[in-house]
Amino acid sequence: MTPTTPGATRVELAIGGMTCASCAARIEKKLNRMEGVEATVNYATEKARVTFDDDVSVDDLIATVEATGYTAQPPAPAAPAPGEGAAPTAGQADDERADAELRSLRERLVTAAVLALPVVAMAMIPALQFEYWQWLSLTLAAPVVTYAAWPFHRAAWTNARHGAATMDTLISVGTSAAFLWSLWALFFGTAGMPGMTHPFEFTIARGDGAGNIYLEAAAGVTAFILAGRYFEARSKRKAGAALKALMELGAKEVTVLRDGRELTLPTAALVVGDRFLVRPGEKIATDGTVVEGSSAVDASMLTGESVPVEVSAGDSVTGATLNAGGRLVVEATRVGADTQLARMARLVEEAQSGKASAQRLADRISAVFVPVVIGLALATLGFWLGSGAGLTAAFTAAVAVLIIACPCALGLATPTALLVGTGRGAQLGILIKGPEVLETTRRADTILLDKTGTVTTGRMTLLEVRTTTGTDGDEVLRLAGALEHASEHPVARAVATGAVAAVGTLPAPEDFANIPGLGVQGVVDGHAVLVGREKLLSEWAIELPEELRAAKDRAEKAGRTVIAVAWDGEARAVLEVADAVKDTSAEAVRRLRALGLSPILLTGDNRTVAEAVAAEVGIDEVIAEVMPQDKADVVKRLQAEGRSVAMVGDGVNDAAALAQADLGLAMGTGTDAAMEAGDLTLVRGDLRAAADAIRLSRRTLGTIRSNLFWAFAYNVAALPLAAAGLLNPMIAGAAMAFSSVFVVGNSLRLRSFRAAG
């Protein structure tokens, strides 16, 4: 629990038993009716974030949730301090609970699939209808309709208590009606007689239903819909994985300097004031201040800045960033939950908790369809009783209405389209997390594009070599590259890589020296060579000639990093290094515009660099110099303006914004934290995949909608026959089979989806 304002406390409750977004809305409504309570409930994360006054206790909150028909659990105790008992943390408790629920759902699905298959086969294939086949069907179907379908029955009961109807209500009512009628027909009608078969006649005629069983409908629907729920639950299970991925980024161990000795300790053991050692290539363990040494720190993962930051004594550094150069001694200023990385994790969690999950389309339709069907069944019963048709005939017609409403095709409508759509996406390098994602792709009208690693390559690249008159560019690269090859600095590596690509093998330097913050110097092939900032040349009384100074000014205005090269006492060239724009980014921006999206470049980099990149790829609007924790605020501001925001990013600094956005697209070449926080993952590092992902998601959603239309249209068309008492089991079975085949065939059309050429 966390104290907020005086007299108010905030707690996060784990909610169990929710089956759709309307459940979350119901719990939220009940909690907010309590005096002194403000609550938000998220279906995707199964969490309730509640702020309450001193007059209210956590037990009161749990009692309210339980009275609504769901379960609630208080947060698990925090992780113990070193040496204390190993009680489970809140995250571990949530993981264990989610694993148990997923395991239970998987067991029910396996039971339903194994037992329902022979039941459906015997009902549909006359050759399998041996003398007592109907009793074997009953034996196999009973566990499916009771044990496997129990979550639907429980949810239907909860919904009924609160006057609501969802997909669960429709499944429960339909399967129960089919099963109970089959029991009556077997024990009290003629369906249990030896040699009973389903009459395969396409005739419309009134019967009393005493010889008809519908066990295949009850078992088949349960198995189909459990499959859809299981795959949805499995994708939802990953909702907290973004936080785990974020915390995994930090250093696990740290070398602490205590009493003149170097001790290797777990990072969690650091306290404020500790001094620790960071060697080249190591991650900085926590936020702190440099007290000894100087180096280049690669902070692009957290800040989005593509150019490494030069640090020396007195400068601040951030935990989880990479020491790319020299040896540093850092004094810890923030540890544990106070670090920038931990604060970003909280931003991601808050964004995920506040992101409303779209109510399933099938639930919205069911909310209207179920009461209509139940009302029609009661009206049918009353009409036939009133007309003197007899009790059996009246009940046959009423139950037939409920059975024909049982959504066989409806159970396939969403899972099959998702299965085919996500499978095709995976082939194209697009991973779709869950069905609620698809709703958002249709509405998105604005797309925020992170710069570093998304629009650009995310690594420093040598772009231009500007030489003085009479100087050979290859000679510049050979001498400068030889020196830079011996340096660990990211800009130096860019020069060395470019030099190797241009001239091949580089000579070995003599008398090499690294001048912190300025550059490198040494002797190459008998030449005294300087490579670095203009200030390094000035210290040797070397001035840039006018032509190089003009080239340097132009490059810096375009946001590039400029390195001067001199040898034998004369400035010979300037090298332009920058984070290069990907070849495909301009084409990707055009495709996104064609989908009706307005692109905006969002970056922590400086405005000059950002505007140069935006101009190159055709983006008009730029939001630059944004701190990582402020990116999510930019998304919120655009949402407050009424925009539906998609966001493409690849770094830790993008994770909170990806979670906050209506649609988060993570580049698969980026960090795990970004991929877990996003709704879609683009496996390729190609921004064009974002346009393909949105097109595929919209196509998949369109398929789901058409599937649902035909599934319900079949039910609606058959209801008058059922109400008239004319529903022949063969017609019902054939219609059910046709609607299911249609839905599967319609979904399979998604396999023809092609990425834009």
Side-chain angles (χ1 to χ4, degrees):
M1 289 187 291
T2 310
T4 51
T5 56
T9 307
R10 190 173 72 184
V11 69
E12 198 172 69
L13 301 176
I15 307 296
M18 293 191 294
T19 59
C20 62
S22 60
C23 297
R26 197 174 304 132
I27 297 168
E28 188 173 300
K29 192 174 178 183
K30 288 282 187 182
L31 286 171
N32 283 322
R33 281 181 180 169
M34 298 174 69
E35 192 70 34
V37 172
E38 287 183 23
T40 57
V41 180
N42 185 268
Y43 168 58
T45 58
E46 297 185 325
K47 297 281 180 68
R49 191 181 287 264
V50 189
T51 305
F52 56 97
D53 294 341
D54 291 339
D55 298 336
V56 182
S57 69
V58 174
D59 289 339
D60 295 333
L61 300 173
I62 292 173
T64 300
V65 174
E66 289 176 345
T68 313
Y70 305 89
T71 62
Q73 290 185 332
E84 293 183 11
T89 64
Q92 289 169 338
D94 288 345
D95 287 348
E96 288 169 9
R97 185 165 50 251
D99 285 338
E101 288 177 6
L102 196 62
R103 193 162 51 248
S104 171
L105 194 55
R106 183 168 57 243
E107 288 168 358
R108 294 179 195 277
L109 171 59
V110 170
T111 301
V114 169
L115 298 181
L117 184 61
V119 174
V120 173
M122 285 187 287
M124 296 297 177
I125 304 172
L128 298 179
Q129 295 176 4
F130 55 89
E131 190 167 0
Y132 288 103
W133 72 275
Q134 69 271 43
W135 293 101
L136 177 59
S137 288
L138 175 63
T139 305
L140 295 174
V144 178
V145 178
T146 52
Y147 165 71
W150 174 245
F152 304 132
H153 302 317
R154 183 181 57 207
W157 171 244
T158 301
N159 291 330
R161 284 171 54 199
H162 298 91
T166 65
M167 178 79 170
D168 294 305
T169 311
L170 184 55
I171 298 161
S172 179
V173 169
T175 55
S176 298
F179 185 72
L180 293 173
W181 182 261
S182 300
L183 279 181
W184 183 88
L186 285 168
F187 286 99
F188 302 105
T190 59
M193 300 296 289
M196 186 280 278
T197 59
H198 271 169
F200 274 68
E201 300 169 358
F202 287 99
T203 56
I204 297 177
R206 187 170 301 153
D208 65 4
N212 302 331
I213 60 172
Y214 298 94
L215 294 170
E216 78 285 356
V221 166
T222 301
F224 282 138
I225 296 179
L226 270 175
R229 290 289 169 86
Y230 171 71
F231 291 117
E232 182 181 349
R234 198 171 66 170
S235 68
K236 197 171 71 173
R237 168 74 179 84
K238 297 178 180 176
L243 305 182
K244 293 194 195 76
L246 266 173
M247 301 322 293
E248 286 292 316
L249 288 169
K252 305 297 182 293
E253 292 184 333
V254 59
T255 303
V256 182
L257 304 175
R258 287 183 183 166
D259 302 324
R261 292 186 300 135
E262 294 183 5
L263 301 175
T264 302
L265 300 174
T267 304
L270 272 177
V271 295
V272 173
D274 270 343
R275 292 192 173 191
F276 59 92
L277 179 64
V278 190
R279 298 181 180 88
E282 289 184 344
K283 287 181 178 178
I284 295 170
T286 193
D287 298 359
T289 304
V290 177
V291 291
E292 286 180 31
S294 61
S295 180
V297 174
D298 182 357
S300 59
M301 177 180 63
L302 283 174
T303 65
E305 286 278 357
S306 51
V307 180
V309 180
E310 300 286 348
V311 296
S312 56
D315 291 331
S316 296
V317 289
T318 306
T321 54
L322 187 69
N323 177 16
R327 177 183 182 276
L328 296 174
V329 176
V330 179
E331 183 174 309
T333 55
R334 286 196 292 262
V335 297
D338 295 328
T339 63
Q340 185 172 341
L341 186 64
R343 289 204 300 271
M344 289 176 70
R346 284 198 296 275
L347 282 173
V348 172
E349 186 175 22
E350 286 167 10
Q352 286 184 330
S353 297
K355 190 172 178 180
S357 184
Q359 186 180 3
R360 280 194 295 264
L361 187 59
D363 282 327
R364 295 205 293 272
I365 299 171
S366 298
V368 175
F369 188 71
V370 174
V372 168
V373 167
I374 292 173
L376 183 59
L378 291 173
T380 300
L381 178 65
F383 172 79
W384 287 113
L385 285 175
S387 65
L391 190 61
T392 301
F395 267 100
T396 298
V399 173
V401 169
L402 295 177
I403 291 169
I404 201 64
C406 193
C408 191
L410 194 61
L412 287 168
T414 300
T416 54
L418 269 180
L419 191 65
V420 180
T422 53
R424 183 62 186 139
Q427 290 174 338
L428 298 172
I430 301 161
L431 306 181
I432 302 171
K433 275 199 177 173
E436 66 278 359
V437 172
L438 303 175
E439 284 276 4
T440 320
T441 59
R442 179 179 56 85
R443 298 193 304 267
D445 53 34
T446 301
I447 187 160
L448 289 171
L449 302 175
D450 169 56
K451 181 185 75 68
T452 308
T454 302
V455 175
T456 65
T457 60
R459 62 181 182 276
M460 303 301 285
T461 305
L462 177 63
L463 299 180
E464 295 285 350
V465 179
R466 309 285 185 185
T467 64
T468 54
T469 305
T471 302
D472 179 39
D474 284 352
E475 180 70 0
V476 170
L477 287 176
R478 201 173 69 83
L479 297 178
L483 276 188
E484 295 286 47
H485 199 270
S487 173
E488 290 297 317
H489 195 289
V491 172
R493 285 202 297 271
V495 173
T497 302
V500 169
V503 300
T505 306
L506 300 173
E510 306 165 32
D511 200 22
F512 171 84
N514 180 35
I515 296 88
L518 292 179
V520 291
Q521 64 187 44
V523 176
V524 183
D525 286 351
H527 300 288
V529 184
L530 301 172
V531 183
R533 295 186 178 184
E534 186 181 355
K535 186 179 176 185
L536 176 63
L537 274 64
S538 299
E539 289 187 356
W540 288 80
I542 300 173
E543 297 296 323
L544 287 180
E546 190 56 40
E547 57 186 318
L548 292 186
R549 183 169 300 283
K552 175 178 176 287
D553 291 343
R554 284 195 303 272
E556 287 179 342
K557 283 179 183 175
R560 296 179 176 181
T561 299
V562 180
I563 301 148
V565 181
W567 66 81
D568 298 342
E570 186 179 338
R572 311 280 182 156
V574 291
L575 309 179
E576 299 177 15
V577 174
D579 182 8
V581 172
K582 292 178 183 176
D583 296 338
T584 57
S585 292
E587 173 64 21
V589 169
R590 284 194 292 274
R591 291 185 188 179
L592 291 168
R593 284 189 190 279
L595 290 169
L597 297 161
S598 301
I600 300 173
L601 190 69
L602 177 68
T603 180
D605 231 335
N606 69 68
R607 179 162 291 279
T608 302
V609 174
E611 288 179 346
V613 170
E616 189 171 342
V617 298
I619 297 175
D620 302 324
E621 191 173 348
V622 176
I623 303 173
E625 298 171 11
V626 181
M627 295 297 291
Q629 58 268 33
D630 297 332
K631 285 192 174 184
D633 292 334
V634 171
V635 176
K636 288 178 189 173
R637 176 169 58 77
L638 292 170
Q639 288 169 330
E641 293 172 5
R643 302 201 207 186
S644 181
V645 180
M647 162 90 186
V648 188
D650 76 319
V652 177
N653 59 313
D654 304 316
L658 287 169
Q660 177 64 43
D662 298 294
L663 177 67
L665 297 98
M667 303 295 277
T669 49
T671 63
D672 289 345
M675 285 185 270
E676 296 295 356
D679 302 306
L680 295 167
T681 297
L682 312 175
V683 176
R684 295 174 286 147
D686 186 344
L687 188 57
R688 290 178 300 183
D692 290 333
I694 291 172
R695 283 177 48 241
L696 176 60
S697 296
R698 288 178 176 177
R699 179 87 63 86
T700 305
L701 178 64
T703 302
I704 289 173
R705 288 172 175 274
S706 61
N707 283 352
L708 289 171
F709 170 79
W710 286 110
F712 275 106
Y714 141 72
N715 290 79
V716 170
L719 281 175
L721 281 178
L726 300 173
L727 191 64
N728 179 296
M730 180 53 202
I731 294 176
M736 275 190 177
F738 172 76
S739 63
S740 299
V741 168
F742 175 85
V743 161
V744 172
N746 192 40
S747 298
L748 287 173
R749 292 190 308 124
L750 286 167
R751 292 170 63 183
S752 64
F753 178 87
R754 294 282 181 271

